[in-house]
Amino acid sequence: MEKSVFIGGGGENYGVQQGLSLKYANRHGLIAGATGTGKTVTLQILAEGFSAAGVPVFLSDVKGDLSGLGDTGSEEFKLHQAFTDRAQTIGFADYVYTAFPVVFWDLLGEQGHPVRTTVSEMGPLLLSRLLELTDAQEGVINIAFRVADEEGLPLLDLKDLQSLLVWVGENKDKLSLRYGNISPQSVGAIQRQLLVLENQGGTKLFGEPALELADLMKTAPDGRGNINILAADQLMGSPKLYATFLLWLLSELFETLPEVGDPDKPKLVFFFDEAHLLFDDAPKALVDKVEQVARLIRSKGVGIYFITQNPDDVPEDILGQLGNRVQHALRAFTARDRKALTRAAETYRPNPRFDTVDAIRDVGTGEAVTSMLEAKGAPGVVERTLIRPPSSKLGPIDSSKRKELIQASPVAGKYETLKDRKSAYEILAGRAQAAASEAEVAETEAEELPPMEREFNTARRYSGSRIKRSSSRDRSMGQQFGDAVTNAVLKELKGTTGRRIVRGILGGLFKGR
C-alpha cells in the first residue's frame, strides 16, 4: 500500500487491502450514499490518509463532526473494540490513535479564522448566481464591473458594490448609450438582493485581508499535510452562499496555480460536501464552468471529491470526470430509486464474484462498493470494501479544544483584523463631496456679485449694458434700422413687382402729355 491512501479491506473475508493511488488521486472522485451509511467516516479516513502522505486537504464540515480530526481517538470510546476488531479483519496492523494538523476556517468568523474574498475576485458570474439574478439584472452587474475597471474603482466589499450601483443608476442615460439599457428597476432589484445577502451574513465573506491560497496548501513541521476545515454547520442555512464560495475557491485554484502535469501526488485535495447544492437550479453557464474546472484543474495538481447522497445529483458530464469512487448503500424504495440504483451500478467495472446492483443495495454501514483508478488511469474492478476505522476522534471536539487549535494555528492573527482601505465607496463619496463643495463655492461667489451682474448671470433681466457690438462703422440704432428699410425697398424695386410699379408711374406721366 505504499504511495496510496489505505481505504479498507476487500475480497474474500475483507482481507485484501484496498487503496487509492496517490498518482491518480488528482483524477477526482465521488463519495455517495444514503443518509447514515458512513459517508462522513469515509471522508474522515481519506483526509487522514492524504494528510499522512503529505498532501494538504480542504473540506467543509457540514455537521460539525469532522472537527474530531484535530483530536486523538480514545480507547475509552464506545466503539474502541469494534474499531480494533475491524482493523484486525482488514489487515490494518499499524492502526493507532492520533490527531492530525488542522486549520479551522469560518465565513462567519466564529468557529475558525475568517475567510474572505473581494467582490472583484468573486466576479459577475458567481455573484449573479449568489444573488439569483435574472439575465437583465446580470447584465447590469456586468456593466457595473466594467465601469469599475474603467473608472479605477476597486470593489472590495458589499458597500463598494452598493455605492457603485447607485452611481450607475444616477448616470444610466450616459452609460446606456455605450453599454445598453440600464433600468432603475433592475438596479433596485439588485440592491434588494444585496440587502438579503447582507442579512444572511454575506458581508463577512467580502473584504480584506482576502484569503491567500498558499495558506491552504501548507504542511505541518512533521511533513503531514494540513487539513483545512471550513465550519459549515451554520453556513448551510444559506446554501447558495455555501456553494458559491466553494465554487469561487475552486475557480481561484484553477486560475492561480501553475500547470504541473501528472504529479506523484496531489498538491491539494478538495472535498465538496453536499455537492447537490452546487447544481440545484444552476444556470447552464455555471454548470459549464464547473465542468471546465473539473476537466482541467487536475493538471494543476488538485483533486476534487464530491460528496452527495446519489450520483444522479452530479451532472453526467461532470460525473464522467470522477474516476475514484466510494459508493455506500443506496436505498431503492421507489421505481425512481431502483432506476437510479441500476444507473449507478452500470458505471462500475463488473466483478464476477457478485452482482453490483445487489452489492450497492445491501452493503451495511461502514461498508462500501469501491472502484479506484489503476495503471494508466483505467478503472479498477468494483469491490465490496470494509472501510477502515479512523485514527482521530470520531465526532466533534469541544469549544475549548477548538479554541486551543485556532490559537496554535500557523495563520493565527493573520485574518482576524478587518482592513478597510480606500475603494469604490470612499472614492465615489469623495467625488460627491468634491462636487458638493464646488457647488457651494460657486453659489457663495454668485451671492457676492453686484446685484446687476448677479441678475444678468441668472438671466433674470436683460439691460444690454454689458453688450458691446463690434462694427466697422459707429452707427446708431436708428441709422441701422433706416439702412435696413432702404435695402429692403431697393431689393423689392429690383424685382418683378418693382418693375411693374415703375412702368405704371412712367406710363401715367407720358400719357398725360
Side-chain angles (χ1 to χ4, degrees):
M1 296 302 296
E2 292 183 2
K3 297 184 179 180
S4 65
V5 175
F6 179 44
I7 296 177
E12 295 291 343
N13 301 319
Y14 304 112
V16 180
Q17 292 189 342
Q18 304 294 310
L20 192 165
S21 173
L22 289 171
K23 185 176 181 179
Y24 300 112
N26 65 330
R27 302 292 181 94
H28 313 320
L30 174 72
I31 303 173
T35 301
T37 56
K39 296 192 301 297
T40 301
V41 175
T42 298
L43 173 54
Q44 184 168 344
I45 65 104
L46 285 176
E48 290 180 357
F50 280 119
S51 176
V55 178
V57 172
F58 183 92
L59 57 86
S60 51
D61 189 6
V62 173
K63 296 181 292 186
D65 295 342
L66 293 172
S67 59
L69 282 160
D71 202 358
T72 304
S74 172
E75 295 182 358
E76 299 177 357
F77 183 55
K78 61 181 180 179
L79 295 178
H80 167 67
Q81 189 60 49
F83 285 173
T84 303
D85 293 342
R86 177 172 294 197
Q88 185 175 0
T89 300
I90 64 178
F92 193 8
D94 55 351
Y95 175 59
V96 293
Y97 290 127
T98 183
F100 289 82
V102 298
V103 180
F104 290 106
W105 303 90
D106 187 2
L107 262 68
L108 304 179
E110 298 173 359
Q111 302 181 71
H113 304 294
V115 52
R116 307 182 189 90
T117 183
T118 64
V119 173
S120 295
E121 290 177 340
M122 178 68 73
L125 175 62
L126 292 181
L127 192 61
S128 298
R129 160 68 167 165
L130 178 59
L131 300 177
E132 300 180 321
L133 302 183
T134 65
D135 291 343
Q137 294 160 6
E138 184 177 350
V140 174
I141 282 289
N142 277 279
I143 292 173
F145 272 76
R146 174 63 67 84
V147 169
D149 289 339
E150 294 180 351
E151 294 286 332
L153 302 172
L155 297 177
L156 304 182
D157 50 29
L158 285 187
K159 70 177 186 295
D160 289 329
L161 182 58
Q162 290 167 334
S163 59
L164 177 61
L165 287 170
V166 170
W167 186 88
V168 167
E170 292 173 344
N171 296 271
K172 65 182 186 303
D173 294 336
K174 181 175 64 176
L175 295 174
S176 295
L177 294 175
R178 181 174 182 183
Y179 301 110
N181 184 49
I182 301 174
S183 70
Q185 292 80 6
S186 293
V187 174
I190 298 171
Q191 294 283 38
R192 288 193 297 273
Q193 291 300 98
L194 288 174
L195 180 60
V196 172
L197 179 61
E198 189 174 348
N199 292 337
Q200 293 177 348
T203 52
K204 297 183 178 180
L205 171 61
F206 298 103
E208 289 186 323
L211 176 66
E212 294 182 17
L213 297 181
D215 288 333
L216 301 180
M217 307 177 71
K218 292 182 176 180
T219 56
D222 60 5
R224 292 183 298 173
N226 284 342
I227 301 176
N228 299 276
I229 302 176
L230 175 68
D233 48 345
Q234 297 183 37
L235 188 60
M236 292 305 294
S238 306
K240 285 288 191 300
L241 181 60
Y242 166 77
T244 304
F245 167 74
L246 292 186
L247 182 55
W248 165 80
L249 187 54
L250 277 177
S251 300
E252 285 294 296
L253 289 168
F254 171 69
E255 295 173 3
T256 304
L257 296 179
E259 294 278 345
V260 295
D262 290 318
D264 292 334
K265 62 182 180 181
K267 298 176 66 176
L268 177 71
V269 172
F270 189 102
F271 289 96
F272 201 134
D273 203 356
E274 299 294 341
H276 66 93
L277 295 175
L278 182 60
F279 306 107
D280 288 347
D281 302 322
K284 186 178 184 303
L286 188 62
V287 176
D288 291 343
K289 177 71 172 179
V290 178
E291 181 183 354
Q292 179 194 35
V293 171
R295 188 182 301 275
L296 301 177
I297 201 172
R298 74 175 185 84
S299 64
K300 307 293 184 82
V302 177
I304 307 172
Y305 289 74
F306 294 97
I307 299 94
T308 188
Q309 292 192 14
N310 197 309
D312 283 351
D313 295 335
V314 181
E316 187 172 351
D317 291 339
I318 298 172
L319 193 63
Q321 307 295 319
L322 312 181
N324 302 295
R325 301 192 180 189
V326 179
Q327 176 67 65
H328 289 273
L330 286 178
R331 308 308 182 194
F333 297 113
T334 66
R336 181 179 179 183
D337 293 339
R338 287 192 291 273
K339 291 180 181 178
L341 176 59
T342 302
R343 286 195 298 270
E346 290 174 346
T347 62
Y348 290 95
R349 183 178 168 187
N351 189 323
R353 289 194 302 106
F354 57 85
D355 182 78
T356 307
V357 173
D358 293 340
I360 294 176
R361 184 183 59 239
D362 299 338
V363 289
T365 301
E367 188 180 5
V369 172
T370 63
S371 175
M372 304 297 160
L373 295 178
E374 297 178 345
K376 298 181 180 180
V381 174
V382 66
E383 189 61 79
R384 289 186 65 156
T385 302
L386 192 62
I387 304 299
R388 79 162 180 85
S391 298
S392 55
K393 181 180 180 180
L394 186 64
I397 58 176
D398 56 37
S399 58
S400 60
K401 180 64 176 179
R402 180 187 288 268
K403 184 177 181 180
E404 176 187 336
L405 292 172
I406 292 174
Q407 292 175 345
S409 166
V411 294
K414 182 175 182 178
Y415 296 99
E416 275 67 22
T417 302
L418 182 66
K419 298 179 181 178
D420 189 13
R421 64 184 175 93
K422 187 176 182 181
S423 53
Y425 174 80
E426 289 79 13
I427 293 174
L428 291 174
R431 290 182 184 180
Q433 182 64 37
S437 299
E438 291 178 3
E440 184 177 354
V441 170
E443 185 177 352
T444 302
E445 292 176 350
E447 291 177 351
E448 294 175 353
L449 294 174
M452 182 178 294
E453 187 171 354
R454 185 169 66 249
E455 291 177 356
F456 170 77
N457 290 337
T458 56
R460 294 179 184 175
R461 183 176 64 189
Y462 175 71
S463 64
S465 59
R466 292 179 56 84
I467 302 298
K468 295 183 178 180
R469 299 182 181 273
S470 61
S471 175
S472 60
R473 291 176 295 176
D474 187 13
R475 297 175 298 177
S476 66
M477 182 64 70
Q479 290 176 323
Q480 294 179 35
F481 179 75
D483 291 345
V485 172
T486 302
N487 291 334
V489 171
L490 291 174
K491 183 178 179 181
E492 188 65 25
L493 289 176
K494 292 178 181 178
T496 304
T497 304
R499 289 195 297 271
R500 289 176 180 174
I501 293 174
V502 172
R503 284 199 302 269
I505 295 174
L506 294 177
L509 291 175
F510 288 107
K511 185 177 181 181
R513 293 181 181 183

